[in-house]
């Protein structure tokens, strides 16, 4: 048997002591840009390791990165932060989301999307997903809107862009803030524009696994100067940048008394690394995209169903590659057995999709006393109150893997496809 000229492996599955498809190592992530080491050394010698340190007569790495990231998105403002979670919290509070407000978000996403909403004393409302893109379904959003709805958080999940045209229309029709969570979509485009520029605020994570990373870090972008100023205060204990450059040795944050904040600032080390990594983003995104498109064609030929992006997407990025198992050949497969088998064949982690938030063990507000704000609030934030049939069905049928595996060449892609083909050959042993 062959798949487009690629020999299939007929030995036992590696998980059953057979010979694996792949023994060679895979690309490692993160990959530091050429200038990252020198950038870190400059910060070490600068006498300023954070924006709350004294001004030394030169522009901070944080301000340089913020300007470059805003320019990359063709938008006016960028506020760096300590994490993607912090960035989303800044966005929510800048949009005046708070106690008792409802925030609609997708049922299938990383847990921080929901825990951050609870963290500002608001109520997460889970809406189901589109079965093709795995992103927020606009009809489900429309059905979930109530007089208490204050914002919609759309997550561009894995390797897809959500349907921003339809979601933007829903938000505008109801006068609700649209916030884009782009933690997994740095550089993706919809209708020729970068994601993160369609909502009131776009938020990003730069955690180690992300396609743009400094280990930890985040950023929020906006075209609105009022929201930008609010986010500056919120992330720096109520302080913001001054109108004039201070004298060397002085503070570059001023105490305005406008808005109480918390410390969610990005360090100079993280900002320096991001400034260098940003120059590599488009090249690496292009490499992943080309390999993913080849893999799509190979897996479709086997009956798998790769995740698609919404109509109107003009450029995809691949944080996670996701594909649905063939219904005809693996109708009753145990998803964990399948992912364990693929992992053994390939030598890198292949995992099921995130668990839906109504059944995700990482999302459990009742486990923390800070959210015990009374019986009515506790009932509203109980995730088990939501019924999410599309998310529940698909998360038992999806396999995913990290984008590092897409940073190789065509032979690497064909190894991945060969492992997926081999699993199909041994499907009888993987039935639940």
């Amino acid at each position: 048997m062959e798949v487009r000229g690629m020999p299939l492996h007929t030995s036992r599955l590696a998980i059953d002591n057979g010979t694996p498809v792949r023994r060679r190592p895979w690309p490692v992530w993160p990959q530091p840009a050429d200038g990252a080491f020198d950038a870190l050394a400059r910060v070490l010698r600068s006498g300023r390791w954070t924006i709350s340190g004294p001004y030394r007569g030169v522009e901070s790495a944080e301000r340089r990165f913020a300007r470059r990231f805003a320019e990359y998105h063709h938008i006016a403002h960028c506020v760096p932060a300590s994490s993607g979670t912090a960035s989303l919290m800044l966005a929510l509070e800048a949009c005046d989301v708070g106690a008792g407000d409802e925030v609609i978000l997708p049922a299938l996403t990383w847990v921080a999307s929901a825990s951050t909403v609870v963290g500002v004393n608001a109520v997460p409302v889970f809406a189901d997903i589109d079965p093709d893109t795995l992103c927020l379904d606009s009809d489900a959003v429309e059905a979930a809107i109530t007089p208490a709805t204050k914002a919609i958080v759309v997550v561009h999940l894995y390797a897809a862009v959500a349907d921003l045209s339809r979601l933007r229309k829903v938000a505008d029709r109801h006068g609700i803030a649209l916030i884009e969570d782009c933690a997994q979509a740095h550089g993706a485009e919809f209708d020729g524009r970068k994601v993160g520029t369609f909502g009131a605020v776009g938020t990003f994570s730069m955690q180690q696994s992300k396609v743009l990373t400094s280990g930890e870090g985040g950023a929020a972008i906006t075209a609105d100067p009022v929201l930008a100023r609010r986010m500056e205060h919120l992330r720096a204990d109520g302080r913001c940048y001054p109108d004039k450059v201070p004298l060397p040795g002085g503070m570059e944050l001023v105490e305005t008394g406008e808005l109480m904040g918390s410390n969610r600032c990005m360090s100079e080390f993280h900002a320096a690394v991001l400034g260098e990594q940003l120059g590599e983003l488009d090249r690496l995104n292009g490499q992943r995209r080309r390999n993913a498109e080849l893999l799509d064609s190979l897996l479709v030929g086997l009956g798998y169903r790769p995740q698609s992006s919404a109509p109107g997407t003009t450029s995809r990025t691949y944080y996670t590659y996701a594909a649905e198992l063939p219904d005809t050949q693996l109708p009753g497969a145990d998803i964990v057995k399948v992912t364990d088998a693929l992992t053994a064949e390939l030598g890198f982690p292949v995992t099921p999709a995130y668990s839906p938030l109504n059944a995700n063990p990482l999302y459990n507000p009742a486990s923390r006393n800070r959210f015990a704000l009374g019986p009515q609030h506790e009932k509203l934030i109980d995730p088990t109150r939501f019924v999410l049939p599309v998310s529940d069905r698909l998360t038992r049928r999806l396999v995913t893997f990290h984008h590092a595996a897409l940073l190789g060449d065509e032979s690497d892609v064909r190894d991945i496809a060969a492992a997926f083909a081999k699993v199909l050959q041994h499907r009888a042993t993987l039935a639940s």
Side-chain angles (χ1 to χ4, degrees):
M1 296 177 63
E2 291 189 350
V3 177
R4 299 199 181 186
M6 177 183 56
L8 298 184
H9 296 254
T10 56
S11 66
R12 287 180 298 170
L13 288 170
I15 201 169
D16 293 327
N17 298 314
T19 302
V21 167
R22 172 83 172 215
R23 293 186 184 274
R24 293 181 292 119
W26 291 92
V28 174
W29 186 259
Q31 298 178 3
D34 289 341
F37 297 97
D38 289 342
L40 285 170
R42 285 194 294 272
V43 173
L44 279 168
R45 293 191 295 263
S46 70
R48 188 182 191 190
W49 291 3
T50 178
I51 61 167
S52 58
Y55 178 68
R56 297 297 183 185
V58 296
E59 187 178 41
S60 67
E62 195 235 45
R63 294 196 90 167
R64 288 195 301 274
F65 168 70
R67 184 176 63 254
R68 287 189 61 195
F69 201 60
E71 290 171 352
Y72 177 79
H73 288 89
H74 304 289
I75 202 165
H77 306 282
C78 170
V79 180
S82 56
S83 68
T85 298
S87 301
L88 182 54
M89 189 167 283
L90 297 179
L92 289 165
E93 291 200 80
C95 292
D96 205 30
V97 174
D101 293 329
E102 292 181 357
V103 178
I104 299 172
L105 64 153
L108 184 62
T109 181
W110 180 241
V111 63
S113 299
S115 61
T116 303
V117 174
V118 174
V120 299
N121 292 335
V123 176
V125 175
F126 304 143
D128 222 335
I129 58 171
D130 178 273
D132 298 319
T133 67
L134 311 181
C135 296
L136 195 56
D137 181 87
S138 59
D139 290 337
V141 170
E142 187 90 56
I145 291 173
T146 74
T149 305
K150 195 68 171 285
I152 300 165
V153 175
V154 53
V155 180
H156 304 300
L157 189 76
Y158 293 155
V161 177
D163 192 336
L164 287 167
S165 293
R166 296 184 68 185
L167 289 165
R168 178 75 271 170
K169 289 176 182 177
V170 172
D172 290 346
R173 185 161 56 250
H174 293 274
I176 298 167
L178 180 67
I179 296 170
E180 290 180 76
D181 184 338
C182 310
Q184 302 181 5
H186 309 68
E189 295 181 2
F190 186 88
D191 197 23
R193 287 168 52 188
K194 293 282 193 296
V195 299
T197 65
F198 290 82
V201 182
T203 68
F204 296 81
S205 168
M206 282 73 165
Q207 182 268 344
Q208 170 160 329
S209 65
K210 303 304 190 293
V211 298
L212 177 66
T213 181
S214 54
E216 290 289 357
I221 61 174
T222 184
D224 187 330
V226 174
L227 292 178
R229 186 173 177 86
R230 285 178 63 83
M231 290 190 290
E232 274 196 31
H233 283 83
L234 287 164
R235 66 80 188 254
D237 288 318
R239 300 169 292 177
C240 71
Y241 278 121
D243 294 329
K244 296 180 180 180
V245 176
L247 294 172
M251 290 294 291
E252 201 177 4
L253 292 171
V254 294
E255 300 175 9
T256 67
E258 292 178 24
L259 182 65
M260 187 178 79
S262 302
N263 182 7
R264 301 190 181 101
C265 292
M266 176 184 287
S267 81
E268 285 290 277
F269 296 103
H270 292 88
V273 170
L274 286 171
E276 302 301 322
Q277 299 299 121
L278 183 57
E280 293 289 290
L281 177 60
D282 286 346
R283 180 182 68 83
L284 294 174
N285 275 344
Q287 185 175 354
R288 295 184 192 97
R289 189 179 306 117
R290 288 188 295 274
N291 284 329
E293 288 170 354
L294 172 59
L295 184 57
D296 282 352
S297 67
L298 296 173
L299 294 190
V300 166
L302 294 168
Y304 290 90
R305 188 168 173 262
Q307 179 190 24
S308 60
S309 195
T313 301
T314 44
S315 184
R316 293 178 72 173
T317 61
Y318 286 80
Y319 168 68
T320 294
Y321 187 93
E324 186 180 351
L325 299 180
D327 280 330
T328 56
Q329 298 180 37
L330 285 167
D334 181 323
I335 193 65
V336 175
K337 286 183 180 179
V338 173
T339 54
D340 285 351
L342 288 167
T343 297
E345 296 298 334
L346 290 167
F348 66 72
V350 180
T351 61
Y354 299 140
S355 297
L357 287 171
N358 64 337
N360 193 317
L362 297 180
Y363 180 67
N364 181 14
S367 67
R368 295 176 66 181
N369 191 50
R370 65 172 292 184
F371 303 130
L373 302 179
Q376 180 61 25
H377 184 75
E378 291 168 46
K379 182 179 179 180
L380 289 173
I381 64 174
D382 180 357
T384 62
R385 73 186 180 99
F386 297 97
V387 178
L388 304 158
V390 180
S391 298
D392 181 63
R393 176 180 63 82
L394 284 174
T395 52
R396 289 182 277 113
R397 301 291 301 166
L398 289 167
V399 296
T400 72
F401 62 83
H402 185 251
H403 65 81
L406 297 173
L407 290 174
D409 56 25
E410 181 178 331
S411 68
D412 296 313
V413 175
R414 291 188 179 277
D415 281 347
I416 296 171
F420 276 71
K422 185 177 177 182
V423 162
L424 287 186
Q425 289 180 291
H426 295 270
R427 55 188 174 271
T429 66
L430 299 171
S432 37

